[in-house]
Amino acid sequence: MTAHGVPFMTLEPGEDRVAIDEAIRRVVDRGRFVLGPELEAFEAEFAAACGTEHAIGVGNGTDAIGLVLQALGIRPGDEVITTPLSAAYTTLAVMMAGARPVFADIDPKRLTLNPDAVEAAVGPKTAAILPVHIYGQPADMVALAGVAGRHHLALVEDCCQAHFATAAGRPVGTFGAAGAFSFYPTKNLGALGDAGAVVTSNGPLAEKLKRLRNGGQLDRYVHVEAGRNSRLDEIQAAILRARLPLLAAWTERRRALAAVYRRELAGAPVSVPPECDRGHVYHLFPVRARERERLQAHLSACGIETLIHYPIPIPRQPLLAGASTDECPVADSVCAEVLSLPLHHKVPERDVLKVTAAIRSFGRT
Ligand SMILES: *Cc1c(COP(=O)(O)O)cnc(C)c1O
């Protein structure tokens, strides 16, 4: 990236640098690194911030989803209806639980699971619905909870891109059995390594998840079920505690930058993502362009880094070749057109203006 370029994202700590250094030193000086006081405190603080009774820290977001499905008793032979437009890890978590992913198409505006398509995909083997609040835009949880209720299905939310988002005014992760979060460094709330959490207000489910993340141990060295080794370590928990108080302001910053993009791109040769719920937290800002590859090359020539989320709908991943015949034409066309522009709490507004000027100049070439 040139000195005048706009990187997609920078991950060095900024205003949180001192608090992070202090958090790491605290853990190192204490000499306790797994399942200690930082994790316990972070779990209480994160649950409170999400409006749930419990949070359970785990190794990453994929495990958060997979462990919830396992804890709910989803097993081989079961089907989980999910979205074709997500990080493939959503589907990998379903497969880790031994279940078969079934793909329902997305809503063409919201880009999240279409509740009517989900309803049509429900069959005798369906055990759960797994919506994703993709890009930070909440799925239509009121309608999806209705479908889950009518068919007695478990509802698990993939909130990995939606920290602090609300759907119809209610925090994501609170509509069904549980919500799964990732704190991968690029997420709205990121650790300095891998980390994840489940939020739930179901006490027995929380207890089961605490066992499952720790090898299925009931007591030390007493394993009662086939758990996993997936714990959120003390250093990452302490770093997340340092950052959590800043997240509300960072989220407002993302919303403000999204508003600048929206204003400056009015009439430009791209379409901006619609805001279907005021609880959108803008993890990403994917515009749609018919000539996406040419636009990306033009922006790159202007020193602007962009990424594609995601180039391949999950049912078309080589991994699923032959295994999935689900047709998702809306997701197919979205994956061919989306281009994520730089948006992060640390992106200066002047960089956003550089990006929008470059996009407008693309229209004139
Ligand atoms: C990041 C992400 C995941 C996986 O989280 P990891 O912490 O990387 O395992 C799952 N689903 C979505 C939508 C994500 O963005």
Side-chain angles (χ1 to χ4, degrees):
M1 197 54 52
T2 66
H4 302 292
V6 180
F8 188 71
M9 185 180 270
T10 54
L11 289 173
E12 309 85 0
E15 63 190 294
D16 49 352
R17 162 84 67 179
V18 172
I20 284 177
D21 286 344
E22 201 281 316
I24 295 171
R25 191 163 340 106
R26 194 168 70 231
V27 175
V28 171
D29 288 348
R30 188 184 294 123
R32 189 151 171 206
F33 301 105
V34 175
L35 295 181
E38 301 292 339
L39 176 61
E40 216 166 283
F42 174 67
E43 288 176 336
E45 290 157 11
F46 192 63
C50 292
T52 58
E53 300 272 322
H54 310 279
I56 302 94
V58 297
N60 54 67
T62 308
D63 280 354
I65 303 165
L67 287 168
V68 168
L69 295 175
Q70 185 182 348
L72 290 171
I74 309 283
R75 33 165 219 261
D78 288 341
E79 292 179 353
V80 176
I81 300 175
T82 190
T83 170
L85 182 66
S86 182
Y89 291 95
T90 307
T91 290
L92 292 175
V94 172
M95 297 170 78
M96 277 160 62
R100 193 173 89 83
V102 170
F103 299 95
D105 209 352
I106 54 174
D107 177 280
K109 251 190 102 185
R110 207 184 263 262
L111 307 186
T112 53
L113 261 183
N114 179 338
D116 294 332
V118 172
E119 184 113 47
V122 172
K125 294 183 183 166
T126 309
I129 304 174
L130 175 58
V132 179
H133 307 298
I134 196 74
Y135 311 138
Q137 172 125 277
D140 184 353
M141 290 313 301
V142 175
L144 289 168
V147 177
R150 275 196 293 287
H151 298 278
H152 310 289
L153 303 171
L155 181 60
V156 176
E157 294 169 68
D158 178 339
C159 306
C160 291
Q161 300 192 357
H163 313 69
F164 283 13
T166 57
R170 179 168 155 183
V172 298
T174 66
F175 285 84
F181 287 86
S182 166
F183 308 115
Y184 184 75
T186 60
K187 307 291 162 131
N188 288 27
L189 177 62
L192 299 188
D194 279 310
V198 177
V199 298
T200 181
S201 291
N202 178 329
L205 183 66
E207 283 312 305
K208 194 169 173 71
L209 284 162
K210 285 189 177 176
R211 276 204 307 277
L212 286 177
R213 75 169 172 198
N214 195 27
Q217 295 179 80
L218 190 58
D219 282 316
R220 186 180 268 197
Y221 307 134
V222 180
H223 297 259
V224 292
E225 52 195 323
R228 219 174 283 175
N229 182 356
S230 184
R231 298 165 306 219
L232 200 178
D233 71 67
E234 286 287 284
I235 288 186
Q236 300 305 340
I239 290 165
L240 290 166
R241 289 186 71 200
R243 286 184 160 174
L244 185 58
L246 300 167
L247 185 58
W250 288 353
T251 302
E252 284 318 309
R253 177 82 189 138
R254 285 176 183 274
R255 287 178 172 144
L257 291 173
V260 174
Y261 269 129
R262 215 177 277 295
R263 184 188 75 215
E264 296 293 321
L265 291 176
V270 295
S271 58
V272 299
E275 183 176 282
C276 298
D277 189 310
R278 294 186 54 199
H280 197 319
V281 293
Y282 293 98
H283 173 60
L284 293 167
F285 196 85
V287 294
R288 289 174 69 174
R290 218 158 274 138
E291 295 187 274
R292 191 249 318 267
E293 270 66 30
R294 234 165 54 76
L295 175 62
Q296 186 173 38
H298 167 76
L299 292 176
S300 177
C302 298
I304 295 161
E305 195 181 14
T306 58
L307 291 173
I308 295 170
H309 299 95
Y310 295 87
I312 306 176
I314 303 172
R316 297 204 185 278
Q317 286 288 349
L319 163 73
L320 291 168
S324 176
T325 53
D326 300 324
E327 288 296 326
C328 299
V330 181
D332 286 342
S333 71
V334 168
C335 287
E337 291 181 1
V338 278
L339 186 66
S340 301
L341 306 180
L343 190 155
H344 186 256
H345 68 269
K346 289 198 309 190
V347 176
E349 183 167 329
R350 65 168 186 281
D351 280 4
V352 168
L353 296 176
K354 269 188 211 164
V355 176
T356 56
I359 292 175
R360 287 200 307 266
S361 76
F362 175 67
R364 292 194 294 268
T365 57

